[in-house]
Coordinates of all heavy atoms in Angstrom, one line a residue:
M1 N 44.4 12.4 17.8 CA 43.7 13.6 18.2 C 42.8 14.0 17.1 O 41.7 14.6 17.3 CB 44.7 14.6 18.5 CG 44.1 15.8 19.2 SD 43.5 15.3 20.8 CE 43.0 16.9 21.4
G2 N 43.1 13.8 15.8 CA 42.3 14.3 14.7 C 41.0 13.5 14.7 O 39.9 14.1 14.3
F3 N 41.0 12.2 15.1 CA 39.8 11.4 15.1 C 38.8 12.0 16.1 O 37.6 12.1 15.9 CB 40.1 10.0 15.4 CG 39.0 9.1 15.4 CD1 38.3 8.7 14.3 CD2 38.5 8.5 16.6 CE1 37.2 7.9 14.3 CE2 37.4 7.7 16.7 CZ 36.8 7.4 15.5
V4 N 39.3 12.4 17.3 CA 38.4 12.9 18.3 C 37.8 14.2 17.9 O 36.6 14.5 18.1 CB 39.2 13.1 19.7 CG1 38.4 13.8 20.7 CG2 39.7 11.8 20.2
I5 N 38.6 15.1 17.2 CA 38.1 16.4 16.7 C 37.0 16.1 15.6 O 36.0 16.8 15.6 CB 39.3 17.2 16.2 CG1 40.2 17.7 17.3 CG2 38.7 18.4 15.4 CD1 41.4 18.4 16.9
A6 N 37.3 15.1 14.8 CA 36.3 14.8 13.8 C 35.0 14.3 14.4 O 33.9 14.7 13.9 CB 36.8 13.7 12.8
L7 N 35.0 13.5 15.5 CA 33.8 13.1 16.2 C 33.1 14.3 16.8 O 31.9 14.4 16.8 CB 34.1 12.0 17.2 CG 34.5 10.7 16.7 CD1 34.9 9.7 17.9 CD2 33.4 10.1 15.9
V8 N 33.8 15.2 17.5 CA 33.2 16.3 18.1 C 32.5 17.2 17.1 O 31.4 17.6 17.2 CB 34.2 17.1 18.9 CG1 33.7 18.4 19.4 CG2 34.7 16.3 20.1
M9 N 33.3 17.5 16.0 CA 32.7 18.4 14.9 C 31.5 17.7 14.2 O 30.6 18.3 13.9 CB 33.8 18.7 13.9 CG 34.8 19.7 14.5 SD 34.2 21.1 15.3 CE 33.4 22.0 14.1
G10 N 31.6 16.4 14.1 CA 30.5 15.6 13.5 C 29.3 15.7 14.4 O 28.1 15.9 14.0
G11 N 29.5 15.6 15.7 CA 28.4 15.8 16.7 C 27.7 17.1 16.6 O 26.5 17.3 16.6
V12 N 28.6 18.2 16.5 CA 28.0 19.5 16.4 C 27.3 19.8 15.1 O 26.2 20.3 15.1 CB 29.2 20.6 16.6 CG1 28.7 22.0 16.3 CG2 29.8 20.5 18.0
M13 N 27.8 19.3 14.0 CA 27.1 19.5 12.7 C 25.8 18.7 12.7 O 24.8 19.1 12.2 CB 28.0 19.1 11.6 CG 29.2 20.0 11.4 SD 28.7 21.7 11.0 CE 29.4 22.6 12.3
G14 N 25.9 17.4 13.2 CA 24.7 16.6 13.3 C 23.6 17.3 14.2 O 22.4 17.2 13.8
W15 N 24.0 17.8 15.3 CA 23.1 18.5 16.2 C 22.4 19.7 15.5 O 21.2 19.9 15.6 CB 23.8 18.9 17.5 CG 22.9 19.7 18.4 CD1 21.8 19.3 19.1 CD2 23.1 21.1 18.7 NE1 21.3 20.3 19.8 CE2 22.1 21.4 19.6 CE3 24.1 22.0 18.4 CZ2 22.0 22.7 20.2 CZ3 23.9 23.3 18.9 CH2 22.9 23.6 19.8
L16 N 23.3 20.5 14.9 CA 22.7 21.7 14.2 C 21.8 21.3 13.0 O 20.7 21.9 12.9 CB 23.9 22.6 13.6 CG 24.7 23.3 14.7 CD1 25.9 24.0 14.0 CD2 23.9 24.3 15.4
A17 N 22.1 20.3 12.3 CA 21.3 19.8 11.2 C 20.0 19.3 11.8 O 18.9 19.5 11.2 CB 22.0 18.7 10.4
S18 N 20.0 18.6 12.9 CA 18.8 18.0 13.5 C 17.9 19.2 14.0 O 16.7 19.1 14.0 CB 19.1 17.0 14.6 OG 19.6 17.7 15.7
M19 N 18.5 20.3 14.5 CA 17.7 21.4 14.9 C 17.0 22.1 13.7 O 15.8 22.4 13.8 CB 18.6 22.5 15.6 CG 19.3 22.0 16.8 SD 18.3 22.1 18.3 CE 18.3 23.9 18.5
V20 N 17.7 22.2 12.6 CA 17.1 22.8 11.4 C 16.0 21.9 10.8 O 15.0 22.4 10.4 CB 18.2 23.0 10.3 CG1 17.6 23.3 8.9 CG2 19.2 24.1 10.8
M21 N 16.2 20.6 10.9 CA 15.2 19.7 10.3 C 14.1 19.2 11.3 O 13.4 18.3 11.0 CB 15.9 18.5 9.7 CG 16.9 18.8 8.6 SD 16.1 19.5 7.2 CE 15.2 18.1 6.5
N22 N 14.1 19.8 12.5 CA 13.1 19.5 13.5 C 13.1 18.0 13.9 O 12.1 17.4 14.1 CB 11.6 19.8 13.0 CG 11.4 21.3 12.9 OD1 12.0 22.1 13.7 ND2 10.6 21.7 12.0
R23 N 14.3 17.5 14.1 CA 14.5 16.1 14.5 C 15.2 16.0 15.8 O 15.7 14.9 16.3 CB 15.2 15.3 13.5 CG 14.4 15.1 12.2 CD 14.6 13.9 11.4 NE 14.9 12.7 12.1 CZ 14.2 11.6 12.0 NH1 13.2 11.6 11.2 NH2 14.6 10.5 12.6
D24 N 15.4 17.1 16.5 CA 16.3 17.2 17.6 C 15.7 16.3 18.8 O 16.5 15.7 19.5 CB 16.5 18.6 18.1 CG 17.6 18.7 19.1 OD1 18.6 18.1 19.0 OD2 17.4 19.5 20.1
A25 N 14.4 16.3 19.0 CA 13.8 15.6 20.1 C 14.0 14.1 19.9 O 14.0 13.3 20.9 CB 12.4 15.9 20.2
S26 N 14.1 13.6 18.7 CA 14.1 12.2 18.4 C 15.5 11.6 18.3 O 15.7 10.4 18.1 CB 13.3 11.8 17.2 OG 14.0 12.4 16.0
M27 N 16.5 12.5 18.4 CA 17.9 12.0 18.2 C 18.7 12.3 19.5 O 18.6 13.3 20.1 CB 18.6 12.8 17.1 CG 17.9 12.5 15.7 SD 18.6 13.5 14.4 CE 20.3 13.0 14.4
G28 N 19.6 11.3 19.8 CA 20.5 11.5 20.9 C 21.9 11.9 20.4 O 22.1 12.1 19.2
I29 N 22.8 12.0 21.3 CA 24.2 12.4 20.9 C 24.8 11.4 20.0 O 25.6 11.8 19.1 CB 25.0 12.7 22.2 CG1 26.3 13.4 21.8 CG2 25.3 11.4 23.0 CD1 27.1 14.0 23.0
F30 N 24.6 10.1 20.2 CA 25.2 9.1 19.3 C 24.7 9.3 17.9 O 25.6 9.3 17.0 CB 24.8 7.7 19.8 CG 25.3 6.6 18.9 CD1 26.6 6.3 18.9 CD2 24.4 6.0 18.1 CE1 27.0 5.3 18.1 CE2 24.8 5.0 17.3 CZ 26.1 4.6 17.3
W31 N 23.4 9.5 17.7 CA 22.9 9.7 16.3 C 23.3 11.0 15.7 O 23.5 11.2 14.5 CB 21.4 9.5 16.3 CG 21.1 8.0 16.4 CD1 20.5 7.5 17.5 CD2 21.4 7.0 15.5 NE1 20.4 6.1 17.3 CE2 20.9 5.8 16.1 CE3 22.0 7.0 14.3 CZ2 21.1 4.6 15.5 CZ3 22.2 5.7 13.7 CH2 21.7 4.6 14.2
N32 N 23.5 12.0 16.6 CA 24.0 13.3 16.1 C 25.4 13.2 15.5 O 25.7 13.7 14.5 CB 24.0 14.4 17.2 CG 22.6 14.9 17.4 OD1 21.8 14.9 16.6 ND2 22.5 15.4 18.7
V33 N 26.3 12.4 16.2 CA 27.6 12.2 15.7 C 27.6 11.4 14.4 O 28.3 11.7 13.5 CB 28.5 11.5 16.8 CG1 29.8 11.0 16.2 CG2 28.7 12.4 18.0
I34 N 26.8 10.4 14.4 CA 26.7 9.5 13.2 C 26.2 10.4 12.0 O 26.8 10.3 10.9 CB 25.7 8.3 13.4 CG1 26.3 7.4 14.5 CG2 25.5 7.5 12.1 CD1 27.6 6.8 14.1
V35 N 25.1 11.1 12.2 CA 24.6 12.0 11.1 C 25.6 13.0 10.7 O 25.8 13.3 9.5 CB 23.3 12.6 11.5 CG1 22.9 13.8 10.6 CG2 22.1 11.6 11.6
G36 N 26.3 13.6 11.6 CA 27.3 14.6 11.3 C 28.5 14.0 10.5 O 28.9 14.6 9.5
C37 N 28.9 12.9 10.9 CA 30.1 12.2 10.1 C 29.7 11.7 8.8 O 30.4 12.0 7.8 CB 30.7 11.1 11.0 SG 31.5 11.7 12.5
I38 N 28.5 11.1 8.7 CA 28.1 10.6 7.4 C 27.7 11.8 6.5 O 27.9 11.8 5.3 CB 26.9 9.6 7.5 CG1 27.4 8.3 8.2 CG2 26.3 9.2 6.2 CD1 26.4 7.3 8.5
G39 N 27.0 12.8 7.1 CA 26.7 14.0 6.3 C 27.9 14.7 5.8 O 27.8 15.3 4.7
S40 N 29.0 14.7 6.6 CA 30.2 15.3 6.1 C 30.7 14.6 4.8 O 31.1 15.3 3.9 CB 31.2 15.3 7.2 OG 32.4 15.8 6.7
V41 N 30.7 13.3 4.8 CA 31.2 12.5 3.7 C 30.2 12.8 2.5 O 30.7 13.0 1.4 CB 31.2 11.0 4.0 CG1 31.5 10.2 2.8 CG2 32.3 10.8 5.1
L42 N 28.9 12.8 2.8 CA 27.9 13.1 1.7 C 28.1 14.5 1.1 O 28.1 14.7 -0.1 CB 26.5 12.9 2.2 CG 25.4 13.2 1.3 CD1 25.4 12.2 0.1 CD2 24.1 13.1 2.0
G43 N 28.3 15.4 2.0 CA 28.5 16.8 1.6 C 29.8 17.0 0.8 O 29.8 17.7 -0.2
R44 N 30.8 16.3 1.1 CA 32.1 16.4 0.4 C 31.9 15.8 -1.0 O 32.4 16.3 -2.0 CB 33.2 15.7 1.1 CG 34.5 15.8 0.4 CD 35.6 15.2 1.2 NE 35.8 16.0 2.4 CZ 36.8 15.9 3.3 NH1 37.7 15.1 3.0 NH2 36.8 16.7 4.3
F45 N 31.1 14.7 -1.1 CA 30.8 14.0 -2.4 C 30.0 15.0 -3.2 O 30.3 15.2 -4.4 CB 30.1 12.7 -2.2 CG 29.6 12.1 -3.4 CD1 30.5 11.5 -4.3 CD2 28.2 12.2 -3.8 CE1 30.0 10.9 -5.5 CE2 27.8 11.6 -4.9 CZ 28.7 11.0 -5.8
L46 N 29.0 15.6 -2.7 CA 28.1 16.5 -3.4 C 28.9 17.7 -3.9 O 28.7 18.2 -5.0 CB 26.9 16.9 -2.6 CG 25.9 15.8 -2.3 CD1 24.8 16.3 -1.4 CD2 25.3 15.3 -3.6
Y47 N 29.7 18.2 -3.0 CA 30.5 19.4 -3.3 C 31.5 19.1 -4.5 O 31.7 19.9 -5.4 CB 31.3 19.8 -2.1 CG 32.1 21.1 -2.3 CD1 31.5 22.3 -2.3 CD2 33.5 21.0 -2.3 CE1 32.2 23.5 -2.5 CE2 34.3 22.2 -2.5 CZ 33.6 23.4 -2.5 OH 34.3 24.6 -2.7
G48 N 32.1 17.9 -4.5 CA 33.0 17.5 -5.6 C 32.2 17.3 -6.9 O 32.6 17.6 -8.0
F49 N 30.9 16.8 -6.7 CA 30.1 16.5 -7.9 C 29.6 17.8 -8.6 O 29.5 17.8 -9.8 CB 28.9 15.7 -7.4 CG 28.0 15.3 -8.6 CD1 28.4 14.3 -9.4 CD2 26.7 15.9 -8.8 CE1 27.6 13.9 -10.5 CE2 25.9 15.5 -9.8 CZ 26.3 14.5 -10.7
I50 N 29.4 18.9 -7.8 CA 28.9 20.1 -8.5 C 30.1 21.0 -9.0 O 29.9 22.1 -9.5 CB 28.0 20.9 -7.5 CG1 28.8 21.4 -6.3 CG2 26.8 20.2 -7.2 CD1 28.0 22.4 -5.4
G51 N 31.3 20.5 -8.8 CA 32.4 21.2 -9.4 C 33.4 21.9 -8.4 O 34.3 22.5 -8.8
G52 N 33.1 21.7 -7.1 CA 34.1 22.3 -6.1 C 35.3 21.5 -6.0 O 35.4 20.3 -6.4
E53 N 36.4 22.1 -5.5 CA 37.6 21.3 -5.3 C 37.6 20.7 -4.0 O 37.9 21.3 -2.9 CB 38.8 22.3 -5.4 CG 39.0 22.9 -6.7 CD 40.3 23.8 -6.8 OE1 41.2 23.4 -6.1 OE2 40.2 24.8 -7.4
S54 N 37.2 19.4 -3.9 CA 37.1 18.7 -2.7 C 38.5 18.4 -2.0 O 38.6 18.2 -0.8 CB 36.4 17.3 -2.8 OG 37.1 16.5 -3.7
A55 N 39.6 18.6 -2.8 CA 40.9 18.4 -2.2 C 41.2 19.6 -1.2 O 41.9 19.4 -0.2 CB 42.0 18.4 -3.3
R56 N 40.6 20.8 -1.5 CA 40.8 21.9 -0.6 C 40.2 21.6 0.8 O 40.6 22.2 1.8 CB 40.1 23.1 -1.2 CG 41.1 24.1 -1.8 CD 40.4 25.3 -2.1 NE 39.0 25.2 -2.3 CZ 38.2 26.1 -2.9 NH1 38.8 27.2 -3.3 NH2 36.9 26.0 -3.0
L57 N 39.2 20.8 0.9 CA 38.5 20.5 2.1 C 39.4 19.8 3.1 O 39.1 19.8 4.3 CB 37.2 19.8 1.9 CG 36.1 20.5 1.1 CD1 34.9 19.6 0.9 CD2 35.8 21.8 1.7
R58 N 40.4 19.1 2.6 CA 41.3 18.3 3.5 C 42.3 19.1 4.1 O 43.0 18.6 5.0 CB 41.9 17.2 2.7 CG 40.9 16.1 2.4 CD 41.6 14.9 1.7 NE 40.8 14.7 0.5 CZ 41.3 14.6 -0.7 NH1 42.6 14.7 -0.9 NH2 40.6 14.4 -1.8
D59 N 42.5 20.4 3.7 CA 43.6 21.2 4.2 C 43.4 21.5 5.7 O 44.3 21.4 6.5 CB 43.7 22.5 3.4 CG 44.2 22.3 2.0 OD1 44.8 21.2 1.8 OD2 44.0 23.1 1.2
S60 N 42.2 21.9 6.1 CA 41.9 22.3 7.5 C 40.5 21.9 7.9 O 39.6 22.0 7.1 CB 42.1 23.8 7.6 OG 41.7 24.2 8.9
A61 N 40.4 21.4 9.1 CA 39.1 20.9 9.6 C 38.3 22.1 10.1 O 37.1 22.0 10.3 CB 39.2 19.9 10.7
F62 N 38.9 23.3 10.3 CA 38.2 24.4 10.9 C 38.0 25.6 10.0 O 37.7 26.6 10.5 CB 38.9 24.8 12.2 CG 38.8 23.7 13.2 CD1 39.8 23.0 13.6 CD2 37.6 23.5 13.9 CE1 39.7 22.0 14.6 CE2 37.4 22.6 14.8 CZ 38.5 21.8 15.2
N63 N 38.1 25.4 8.7 CA 37.8 26.6 7.9 C 36.3 26.6 7.6 O 35.6 25.6 7.7 CB 38.6 26.6 6.6 CG 38.3 25.4 5.7 OD1 37.4 24.7 5.8 ND2 39.2 25.3 4.7
I64 N 35.7 27.7 7.2 CA 34.3 27.9 7.0 C 33.7 27.0 5.9 O 32.7 26.4 6.1 CB 34.0 29.4 6.7 CG1 34.3 30.2 8.0 CG2 32.6 29.6 6.3 CD1 33.3 29.9 9.1
E65 N 34.5 26.8 4.9 CA 34.0 26.0 3.8 C 33.8 24.6 4.2 O 32.8 24.0 3.8 CB 35.1 26.1 2.6 CG 34.6 25.5 1.3 CD 35.6 25.7 0.2 OE1 36.8 26.0 0.5 OE2 35.2 25.5 -0.9
T66 N 34.7 24.0 4.9 CA 34.6 22.6 5.4 C 33.4 22.5 6.3 O 32.6 21.5 6.2 CB 35.8 22.2 6.1 OG1 36.9 22.3 5.3 CG2 35.7 20.8 6.6
L67 N 33.2 23.4 7.2 CA 32.0 23.3 8.2 C 30.7 23.5 7.4 O 29.7 22.8 7.8 CB 32.2 24.4 9.2 CG 33.4 24.2 10.1 CD1 33.5 25.4 11.1 CD2 33.4 22.9 10.9
V68 N 30.6 24.4 6.5 CA 29.4 24.6 5.7 C 29.1 23.3 4.9 O 27.9 22.9 4.8 CB 29.5 25.8 4.8 CG1 28.3 25.9 3.8 CG2 29.5 27.1 5.7
V69 N 30.1 22.7 4.2 CA 29.9 21.5 3.5 C 29.4 20.4 4.3 O 28.5 19.6 4.0 CB 31.1 21.1 2.7 CG1 31.1 19.7 2.1 CG2 31.4 22.1 1.6
A70 N 30.0 20.2 5.5 CA 29.5 19.2 6.5 C 28.1 19.4 6.9 O 27.3 18.5 7.0 CB 30.5 19.1 7.7
F71 N 27.8 20.7 7.2 CA 26.4 21.0 7.7 C 25.4 20.7 6.6 O 24.3 20.1 6.8 CB 26.4 22.5 8.1 CG 25.0 22.9 8.5 CD1 24.4 22.5 9.6 CD2 24.3 23.8 7.6 CE1 23.1 22.9 9.9 CE2 23.0 24.2 7.9 CZ 22.4 23.8 9.1
V72 N 25.7 21.2 5.4 CA 24.7 20.9 4.3 C 24.6 19.5 4.0 O 23.5 19.0 3.7 CB 25.2 21.7 3.0 CG1 24.4 21.3 1.8 CG2 25.1 23.2 3.2
G73 N 25.7 18.7 4.1 CA 25.6 17.3 3.9 C 24.7 16.6 4.9 O 23.9 15.7 4.7
A74 N 24.8 17.0 6.2 CA 24.0 16.5 7.3 C 22.5 16.8 7.1 O 21.7 16.0 7.3 CB 24.5 17.0 8.6
V75 N 22.3 18.1 6.6 CA 20.9 18.4 6.4 C 20.3 17.6 5.2 O 19.2 17.2 5.3 CB 20.8 20.0 6.1 CG1 19.4 20.3 5.5 CG2 21.1 20.8 7.3
V76 N 21.1 17.4 4.2 CA 20.6 16.6 3.0 C 20.4 15.1 3.5 O 19.3 14.5 3.2 CB 21.6 16.6 1.9 CG1 21.3 15.5 0.9 CG2 21.7 18.0 1.2
L77 N 21.2 14.6 4.3 CA 21.1 13.3 4.9 C 19.8 13.2 5.7 O 19.0 12.2 5.5 CB 22.3 12.8 5.7 CG 22.2 11.5 6.4 CD1 22.1 10.4 5.3 CD2 23.4 11.3 7.3
L78 N 19.5 14.1 6.6 CA 18.3 14.1 7.4 C 17.1 14.3 6.5 O 16.0 13.7 6.8 CB 18.4 15.2 8.5 CG 19.3 14.8 9.6 CD1 19.3 16.0 10.6 CD2 18.8 13.5 10.3
G79 N 17.2 15.1 5.4 CA 16.1 15.2 4.5 C 15.7 13.9 3.8 O 14.6 13.6 3.7
I80 N 16.7 13.1 3.5 CA 16.5 11.8 2.9 C 15.9 10.9 3.9 O 15.0 10.1 3.6 CB 17.9 11.3 2.3 CG1 18.3 12.1 1.1 CG2 17.7 9.8 1.9 CD1 19.7 11.8 0.7
V81 N 16.4 10.9 5.1 CA 15.8 10.0 6.2 C 14.4 10.4 6.4 O 13.5 9.6 6.6 CB 16.7 10.1 7.4 CG1 16.0 9.5 8.6 CG2 18.0 9.5 7.2
N82 N 14.1 11.7 6.5 CA 12.7 12.2 6.7 C 11.8 11.7 5.6 O 10.6 11.3 5.8 CB 12.6 13.7 6.8 CG 13.0 14.2 8.2 OD1 13.1 13.4 9.2 ND2 13.3 15.4 8.3
L83 N 12.3 11.8 4.4 CA 11.5 11.4 3.2 C 11.2 9.9 3.2 O 10.1 9.5 2.9 CB 12.3 11.7 1.9 CG 11.6 11.6 0.6 CD1 10.3 12.5 0.5 CD2 12.5 11.8 -0.6
I84 N 12.1 9.1 3.7 CA 11.9 7.7 3.8 C 11.0 7.3 4.9 O 10.0 6.6 4.8 CB 13.2 6.9 3.9 CG1 14.0 7.0 2.6 CG2 13.0 5.5 4.3 CD1 15.5 6.5 2.7
Q85 N 11.2 7.9 6.1 CA 10.4 7.6 7.3 C 9.0 8.2 7.3 O 8.1 7.5 7.6 CB 11.1 8.0 8.5 CG 12.3 7.2 8.9 CD 13.0 7.6 10.2 OE1 12.7 8.7 10.7 NE2 13.8 6.7 10.7
R86 N 8.9 9.5 6.9 CA 7.7 10.2 7.1 C 6.9 10.5 5.8 O 5.8 10.9 5.8 CB 7.9 11.5 7.8 CG 8.5 11.3 9.2 CD 8.8 12.7 9.8 NE 9.4 12.5 11.1 CZ 9.9 13.5 11.8 NH1 9.8 14.7 11.3 NH2 10.5 13.3 12.9
G87 N 7.6 10.3 4.7 CA 7.0 10.6 3.4 C 7.0 12.0 3.0 O 6.5 12.4 2.0
R88 N 7.7 12.8 3.8 CA 8.0 14.3 3.4 C 9.3 14.7 3.9 O 9.9 14.1 4.8 CB 6.9 15.1 4.0 CG 6.8 15.1 5.5 CD 5.7 16.1 6.0 NE 5.9 16.3 7.4 CZ 5.3 15.6 8.4 NH1 4.5 14.6 8.1 NH2 5.5 16.0 9.6
V89 N 9.9 15.7 3.3 CA 11.2 16.1 3.6 C 11.3 16.7 5.0 O 12.2 16.5 5.8 CB 11.8 17.1 2.6 CG1 13.1 17.6 3.0 CG2 11.9 16.4 1.3
R90 N 10.3 17.6 5.4 CA 10.4 18.2 6.7 C 9.3 17.9 7.6 O 8.2 17.6 7.4 CB 10.5 19.7 6.5 CG 10.8 20.4 7.8 CD 11.3 21.7 7.5 NE 11.8 22.3 8.7 CZ 12.3 23.5 8.9 NH1 12.5 24.2 7.8 NH2 12.7 23.9 10.0

């Protein structure tokens, strides 16, 4: 059941990040889930790198800190993809 919840939350975070980065029209639900899940891993890595306690993020999938870290990671991932594809971040 945890895997299904992770996929749903990844899809939501990927969708929100694609709305912020103006990529919503070019992405489907599959890519939203992929971006959300990879962005969550990237966000957790960046959060641990800047000094946050990444072990706290494993306690609950539905606390605000976890959702914000996943969202920021998805936005960073889409920014990197935009930079590679279009030559600009947004």
